[in-house]
């Protein structure tokens, strides 16, 4: 028997079998619903409201408050369709339309930065305009040989000329269509000169490329005029893979155990295709003239982008299929723009340090400096690089995506409705907050979480271990269904007709996350027999990093207690590095050298990391002397530590 | 309205629209019918017999004898379906099951010949077995880098390693399936080491390849054990493209003006796929282990094989798209065997001198000899090479496919039912003939035609211009619908219930064809200021060449009047050369050098060719002194010339 399920507010309808899983129905309807686990049934995020009809609720109730249950909430993944349904996706489970996404420095600045980094406008793929002498009965060599001769004359070494089947097929027509005046796009691999594409007439200046940042959460695209280096347009969107899981591990599981590799690949390629298509249209760029795409992403994202099985990234000893991916044709992985376009990925270092970090180091330029610097990219994962012109070490701290909202009851990404700044009165314990978009709040984003931790700690609402001090007697402290919690926004203030709270479990998750990051810093330094005092600069990259209040992050012990002027925000270095590599083949080469130079330290098997981590599971740290600024502030507030 | 058409004897039924073209119905039913023009309506070959029902006959009658018309014959291409039909494909319009096809020297001899030509068992694609150390937490480089390192250790320069998307995708699984023992097949292009494929475990000796001769009329395949060089099996079939036209020009027209390029490509690739699949099965060769295919064919066949537009081959100044085709993947053009298999084509020289001729020169070894030799490949076309170790000149004589049966009223290829030998009594003008398969004749093949010309001339049935001498008063000479004709087989003797005759028009076509070949020889020699006396050897290659009686061919002036021991039959040098190139990369390279060295002489614009041709439009030649043997025989027969 078939059942009709209608999803509100989209009014999307889908026909499913009786007893179908409601989460699958949501996906089949093409509607978005929040989910961190990809429908595996253990994240408790895919809350929907049954407005009409009947479902079998499964284990929904164990993830829902009694009030939610009363109001018709179920978890889609635990529910079976038992009748025709009308289902509402409530606001907190929806993808928000307006959101804050960092696309890096302003595009006009990026070219300047690239030039300062030694970059130029010499891409891997070059174009050359040829005026070829037409064949005659006395000069009757074949088209292919004629082109070779013309390339030779133009100064290319075409003794190992190659073109793929598609180009060969169109060769005779392009030559004649352009009346033997053609533009050739070509690149070298080894001693081979590969003709990438051919165009009738002179098109050397109609040359476009795309830089892409494939974040676990966000995908950013720059459309670039390759002749001038100008960024014609930028676009960003949530990585549609999010619906299959919030973090890289869940996605690897989805790809391997749930046979979703192709689906994951399609999702992200479609994201890029869509953005690139829109950018091209908006800027009157013929899509067939976009012939080079450089992407940067973490190692798992790179594997998924290529449709390469990421299984062994997750299994000890954590081996990626490739760190340096070969140059491939975009059409192999589903690109719809120029079918001949080449795709390059910024080189990865190891399973948990990817091309986004190589790109980041390239942008930070720490690999050229005398002084030792730290580089950290705080996104869905946290990757750290320490080094200078002589050496580079790197590690990934499995901080988990807590600061992205995952595992936090009201956690969400930095989009409209997210509490992003919080102040707690040390006297009344009352709360002031600021919400992105100045609307009623629906949850808390990462910067809000740092604020909450810092404020609660400084005001004594929580102790050094992150436990709520019930004894202070605030009406905001109450015992919820999962233990003690602190009310940030009352029901009337919120947009979701519910109190927005932070629970002790949330606090615990956040402390674990910040401890992992700090322990990463500390371990890498001790690996090199150094201390924080040896660090000249600390560069913070990543979408999330952009909104961190450094002092607050020091307060909770996420960042080391260094003078504020040692911190520098770099923005989205992943997209910037991809842009560098796209335009300048010298910098692309430099990125490969960076990746080769980086020594990867596997923290998951490091005893010293475990020690550092345990010590960091306090606010700000078991050793308060390592945080003199925090110590001073606590003293100023005249509170016992 | 739909009409049902049933074709006998196959009993194949097809449903077509009322008024549909009957030739298209034949093709739609998947039934074979002879056609030289591909259904354009001007070859008069697609004769079928309407057994039941009605057709609109169109211009059929102008191609049919009154007797044929009476018996229900129509030309399929000129007929429109007007009712349900039962149509017989008469024997003379059918593809014969048993046929004589030359597959070259016996396979056990070929390896010896290759070795004598300096060949070895070092193919372009090599295999190496690697035992790779498995990854550990301390040695955690990516699979791709691990393979690169192992290849480096094994003595390959893997600094420019490449693998395509498919191989990359399977890399992690093959490595682990083989427990880090893998066999890599790889080849070099420029400085790039391309991993063609990967196999778990040790498969270095399970390596197979295919040599293919793509003739205009016949396709031959050798399945070769690449480790030993042994030819495991051979197979041949008619080139299915024949149904789209008999000769290269008709096929080019079919490809370009009739949009049939893809169809032509599919036809020949299907021929090869089918034969290769059967050979592999028969010899227990895993199809996935056939990773290299080397094909040789004329320039048009090579273009069609690749699906490359051959249009400009036919238009002055006669330019092919490529003479040296790049190495491509078999799957690009539809090969179903190993999807990774590479396809190479023996290099072409010009639009009308193809890879089959380069292969032939390689096999003949004339390019290494001190003395000057002539090489001729007489197939559907006639290509000639003259030269020695210092120089090579080549030309194509547009002899046309008369000796293949095209343009000859009862012409057919050398298959069962073909008259292959003819003797005419100089006294009674009665005929003795021998038929392939010792059955009742249905037509005349090339060697039969040479015999007929020679015998008719020597016996005085025709004069020096090929005109039938009605005055001799033989009952075999009669006035047919198209002028004078000579009856070779009476109706009761034939398998087609019709007299088999040779007409004056046929004789004219044959004389034109033989004249073109002879003029080709003469022009190339005079181009080098040489005469036939300077020719040390005359090598004859090609399926047709194998069955020529040299003395008879001299009699009609097709071959020059040289001592018989100067002629040497080489068999199918196209498949042999492909086999050389497949197994031995040094010989493949030698073939490329041969192709580069050959100077192409365009006869179609040569005045001296036209002069030679006009002089050769006599039997044997206007200058009988150039044919002393023939002169002597005529004198012995005491007949005035």
């Amino acid at each position: 028997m078939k059942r009709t399920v209608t999803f509100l507010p989209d009014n999307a309808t889908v026909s499913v079998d009786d007893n179908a899983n409601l989460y699958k129905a949501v996906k089949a309807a093409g509607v978005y619903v929040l989910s961190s686990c990809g429908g595996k049934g253990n994240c408790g995020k895919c809350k929907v409201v049954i407005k009409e009809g009947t479902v079998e609720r499964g284990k929904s109730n164990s993830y829902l408050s009694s009030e939610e249950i009363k109001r018709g909430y179920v978890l889609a993944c635990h529910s079976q369709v038992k009748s025709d349904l009308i289902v509402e996706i409530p606001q907190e489970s929806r993808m928000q339309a307006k959101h804050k996404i960092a696309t890096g420095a302003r595009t006009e600045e990026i070219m300047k930065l690239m030039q300062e980094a030694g970059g130029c406008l010499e891409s891997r793929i070059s174009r050359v305009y040829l005026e070829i002498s037409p064949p005659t009965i006395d000069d009757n060599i074949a088209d292919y040989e004629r082109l070779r001769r013309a390339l030779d004359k133009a100064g290319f070494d075409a003794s190992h000329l190659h073109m793929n089947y598609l180009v060969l097929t169109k060769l005779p027509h392009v030559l004649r269509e352009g009346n033997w005046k053609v533009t050739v796009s070509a690149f070298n691999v080894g001693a081979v000169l590969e003709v990438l594409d051919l165009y009738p007439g002179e098109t050397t200046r109609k040359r476009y490329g795309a830089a892409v940042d494939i974040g676990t959460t966000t995908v950013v695209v720059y459309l670039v005029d390759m002749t001038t280096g100008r960024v014609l347009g930028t676009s960003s969107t949530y990585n549609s893979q999010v619906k299959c899981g919030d973090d890289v591990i869940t996605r690897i599981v989805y790809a391997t155990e749930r046979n979703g590799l192709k689906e994951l690949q399609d999702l992200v390629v479609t994201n890029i295709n869509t953005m690139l298509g829109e950018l091209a249209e908006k800027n009157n760029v013929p899509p067939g003239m976009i012939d080079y795409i450089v992407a940067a992403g973490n190692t798992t994202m790179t594997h998924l982008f290529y449709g390469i099985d990421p299984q062994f990234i997750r299994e000890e000893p954590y081996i990626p299929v490739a760190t340096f991916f070969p140059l491939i044709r975009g059409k192999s992985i589903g690109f719809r723009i120029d079918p001949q376009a080449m795709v390059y990925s910024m080189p990865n270092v190891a399973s948990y340090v990817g091309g986004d970090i190589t790109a980041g180091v390239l942008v930070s330029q720490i690999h050229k400096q005398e002084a030792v610097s730290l580089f950290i990219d705080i996104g869905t994962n946290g990757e750290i690089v320490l080094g200078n012109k002589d050496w580079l070490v790197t590690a990934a701290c499995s901080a988990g995506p807590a600061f992205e909202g995952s595992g936090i009851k009201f956690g969400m990404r930095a989009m409209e409705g997210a509490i992003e700044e919080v102040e707690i009165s040390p006297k009344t314990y009352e709360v002031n907050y600021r919400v992105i978009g100045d609307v009623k709040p629906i949850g808390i984003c990462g910067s809000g979480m740092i604020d909450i931790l810092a404020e609660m700690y400084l005001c004594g609402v929580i102790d050094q271990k992150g436990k709520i001090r019930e004894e202070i007697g605030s009406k905001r402290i109450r015992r919820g269904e999962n233990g003690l919690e602190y009310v940030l926004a009352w029901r009337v203030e919120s947009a979701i007709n519910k109190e927005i709270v932070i629970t002790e479990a949330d606090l615990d998750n956040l402390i674990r996350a910040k401890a992992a990051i700090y322990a990463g810093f500390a371990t890498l330094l001790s690996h090199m027999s150094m201390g924080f005092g040896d660090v000249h600069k600390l560069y913070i990259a990543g979408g999330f990093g952009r909104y961190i209040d450094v002092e607050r992050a020091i307060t909770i012990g996420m960042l080391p207690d260094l003078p504020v002027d040692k911190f520098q925000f770099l923005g989205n270095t992943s997209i910037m590095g991809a842009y560098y590599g796209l335009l300048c083949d010298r910098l692309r080469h430099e990125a490969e050298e960076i990746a080769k130079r980086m020594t990867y330290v596997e923290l998951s098997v490091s005893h010293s990391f475990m020690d550092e981590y345990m010590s960091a599971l306090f606010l700000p740290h078991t050793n308060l002397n390592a945080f003199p600024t925090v110590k001073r502030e606590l003293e100023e507030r005249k509170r016992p530590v």
Side-chain angles (χ1 to χ4, degrees), chain A residues 224-515:
Chain A
V224 181
D225 182 328
M226 299 296 283
T227 314
T228 62
R230 206 158 65 86
V231 178
L232 299 177
T234 71
S235 183
S236 66
T237 187
Y238 281 106
N239 187 332
S240 297
Q241 293 174 344
V242 164
K243 70 176 177 195
C244 308
D246 262 4
D247 56 23
V248 296
I249 297 300
T250 336
R251 297 212 198 140
I252 294 174
V253 171
Y254 191 88
T256 56
E257 294 174 12
R258 312 189 71 203
N259 210 16
L261 177 58
K262 183 77 182 67
E263 183 190 346
L264 287 165
Q265 186 197 15
D266 285 348
L267 286 169
V268 70
V269 170
T270 301
N271 285 152
I272 301 168
N273 263 332
T274 306
M275 285 190 279
L276 208 43
E278 287 167 1
L279 284 173
E281 197 184 337
K282 205 165 143 189
N283 292 281
N284 290 317
V285 166
M289 291 290 169
I290 302 173
D291 59 13
Y292 194 23
I293 296 167
V294 174
N298 66 50
T299 309
T300 300
M301 286 306 111
T302 309
H303 278 63
L304 295 179
F305 174 58
Y306 283 112
I308 303 289
D309 192 342
Q311 179 183 354
F312 306 105
I313 289 178
R314 186 175 150 244
E315 297 173 3
E316 206 184 317
Y318 317 114
I319 306 298
V321 172
T323 41
F324 294 78
F325 277 83
L327 205 60
I328 62 162
R329 306 250 162 207
K331 74 169 177 325
S332 322
I333 54 172
F335 271 103
R336 287 193 317 256
I337 44 164
D338 186 347
Q340 290 298 91
M342 298 304 297
V343 173
Y344 175 78
S345 283
M346 297 298 277
N348 303 294
V349 176
S351 273
Y352 295 104
V353 174
D356 50 347
I357 303 309
T358 309
V361 171
L362 179 67
V363 172
S364 76
Q365 297 277 299
I366 68 170
H367 65 293
K368 285 182 181 163
Q369 297 168 21
E370 194 78 42
V372 171
S373 298
L374 265 170
F375 170 91
I376 183 162
D377 189 320
I378 313 176
T380 311
N381 307 294
E383 296 97 347
I384 302 169
V385 183
L386 174 71
N388 65 2
K389 67 180 178 53
D390 299 317
W391 51 268
L392 294 165
V393 291
T394 183
C397 30
S398 40
F403 287 105
E404 299 263 328
S406 192
I408 306 299
K409 189 160 185 174
F410 287 90
M412 64 184 288
R413 291 185 289 269
M415 51 174 85
E416 189 172 270
I419 295 174
E420 59 168 348
E421 277 180 44
V422 176
E423 242 182 51
I424 298 178
S425 158
K427 288 178 186 143
T428 63
Y429 307 116
E430 279 308 292
V431 179
N432 266 322
Y433 54 78
R434 196 222 291 263
V435 179
I436 298 175
D438 288 323
V439 294
K440 283 190 169 187
I442 56 175
I444 314 156
C445 70
S447 59
M449 293 176 210
I450 293 174
D451 270 14
I452 289 166
L453 259 189
E455 286 290 296
M456 288 176 96
Y457 173 57
L458 290 176
C459 298
V461 180
I462 53 173
D463 65 15
Q464 218 190 348
K465 293 177 179 172
K467 297 293 168 204
I468 293 176
R469 297 174 69 235
E470 208 175 355
E471 66 268 28
I472 63 167
S474 161
K475 67 176 193 293
R476 287 183 178 265
I477 297 173
R478 66 184 194 185
R479 194 159 292 272
E481 301 197 327
N482 308 107
L484 283 177
E485 59 190 30
Y486 180 83
V487 179
L488 284 159
W490 300 105
R491 179 192 291 227
V492 290
E493 300 167 46
S494 86
I496 52 174
N497 201 22
K498 276 189 283 194
E499 279 90 14
I500 294 172
V501 302
I502 190 111
T503 68
E504 275 198 340
D506 293 343
L507 294 166
D508 193 50
N509 279 336
L510 292 172
I511 290 174
R512 284 174 191 278
K514 76 94 190 169

Side-chain angles (χ1 to χ4, degrees), chain A residues 545-557:
Chain A
R546 216 170 154 67
Y547 301 102
I548 291 179
D549 180 323
V550 169
E551 295 181 33
R552 294 300 183 96
I554 293 172
T555 300
I556 66 168

Side-chain angles (χ1 to χ4, degrees), chain A residues 16 28 32 65 119 241 280-281 358 374 425-426 449 454-455 483 515 529 538 540 592 629:
Chain A
V16 297
Y32 179 82
S65 69
Q241 293 174 344
E281 197 184 337
T358 309
L374 265 170
S425 158
M449 293 176 210
E455 286 290 296
S529 310
L538 200 154
I540 300 174
E592 295 193 350
T629 317

Side-chain angles (χ1 to χ4, degrees), chain A residues 10 26 30-35 89 93-96 240 242-243 246 413:
Chain A
D10 298 18
V26 173
V31 171
Y32 179 82
V33 67
L34 205 64
S35 168
I89 315 286
S93 301
R94 272 182 243 154
M95 178 76 86
Q96 304 302 309
S240 297
V242 164
K243 70 176 177 195
D246 262 4
R413 291 185 289 269

Side-chain angles (χ1 to χ4, degrees), chain A residues 14 16 20-29 76-77 258:
Chain A
V14 68
V16 297
N21 179 284
L22 186 55
Y23 181 81
K24 287 184 179 162
V26 173
K27 291 187 75 177
C77 67
R258 312 189 71 203

